[in-house]
Amino acid sequence: MSTKSLIIVAALLGLTACQSIPSAEITGVEVQGSWHIESAQGQPVIDYSPAQLIFAADGTLSGNNSCNEFFGQYQLEGSRLTLSPAGHTMKACVDALMHQEQRVMQAMEQITLAQESKGKLVLKDDNGKIQLVLSKK
């Protein structure tokens, strides 16, 4: 075999070694539907509280933050989730529900990650801290 042939064979072997191996596709978390908020920022919600999130197929977000209704948008890419509440009603409720409402709204602003765990949807911030725990309605 000539030197030229050896160089060509070596180059071809080198190129095949550089082929990338297809990576496993990152599958996303399924969030669409109505979810009851079980806890917000580490504290359980008040029993029989109407706190819920509704994720529509078109990227709209709505629900009840314990006292008032809200609406907005969400974006889900793989397990990366951002919630963008745009507006809400402004009725007054008992203090306990108003405080819970504040925790829910603060938590929604910090969410960046969605994970499924034991049938629950767990929403976390950039530091991995759990902001909301939801159960399917």
Side-chain angles (χ1 to χ4, degrees), residues 116-131:
E116 293 179 71
S117 177
K118 299 179 184 177
K120 310 278 186 201
L121 184 59
V122 179
L123 306 181
K124 299 179 178 183
D125 63 20
D126 276 334
N127 297 320
K129 183 176 178 185
I130 296 173
Q131 293 295 320

Side-chain angles (χ1 to χ4, degrees), residues 47 93 103 134:
D47 287 343
C93 294
R103 283 195 319 275
L134 313 174

Side-chain angles (χ1 to χ4, degrees), residues 104-122:
V104 169
M105 295 307 288
Q106 288 171 353
M108 288 194 328
E109 293 174 359
Q110 297 179 38
I111 292 168
T112 59
L113 181 66
Q115 295 178 326
E116 293 179 71
S117 177
K118 299 179 184 177
K120 310 278 186 201
L121 184 59
V122 179

Side-chain angles (χ1 to χ4, degrees), residues 2-133:
S2 72
T3 305
K4 187 175 184 181
S5 297
L6 285 175
I7 293 173
I8 292 173
V9 169
L12 289 174
L13 287 174
L15 288 175
T16 58
C18 291
Q19 284 183 327
S20 63
I21 298 169
S23 61
E25 184 177 320
I26 298 171
T27 57
V29 176
E30 181 59 45
V31 299
Q32 285 183 25
S34 296
W35 297 85
H36 173 71
I37 301 173
E38 290 190 1
S39 69
Q41 295 185 325
Q43 296 183 29
V45 297
I46 299 168
D47 287 343
Y48 309 107
S49 166
Q52 70 172 342
L53 291 177
I54 303 167
F55 297 94
D58 65 357
T60 57
L61 173 70
S62 61
N64 186 304
N65 55 21
S66 299
C67 180
N68 287 286
E69 303 290 322
F70 66 88
F71 60 91
Q73 304 287 319
Y74 74 94
Q75 187 171 38
L76 179 66
E77 295 176 11
S79 62
R80 301 289 299 171
L81 176 68
T82 52
L83 308 181
S84 303
H88 58 86
T89 58
M90 296 182 66
K91 65 182 179 179
C93 294
V94 296
D95 286 345
L97 285 178
M98 295 298 289
H99 291 296
Q100 182 171 285
E101 175 180 286
Q102 289 173 350
R103 283 195 319 275
V104 169
M105 295 307 288
Q106 288 171 353
M108 288 194 328
E109 293 174 359
Q110 297 179 38
I111 292 168
T112 59
L113 181 66
Q115 295 178 326
E116 293 179 71
S117 177
K118 299 179 184 177
K120 310 278 186 201
L121 184 59
V122 179
L123 306 181
K124 299 179 178 183
D125 63 20
D126 276 334
N127 297 320
K129 183 176 178 185
I130 296 173
Q131 293 295 320
L132 294 174
V133 176

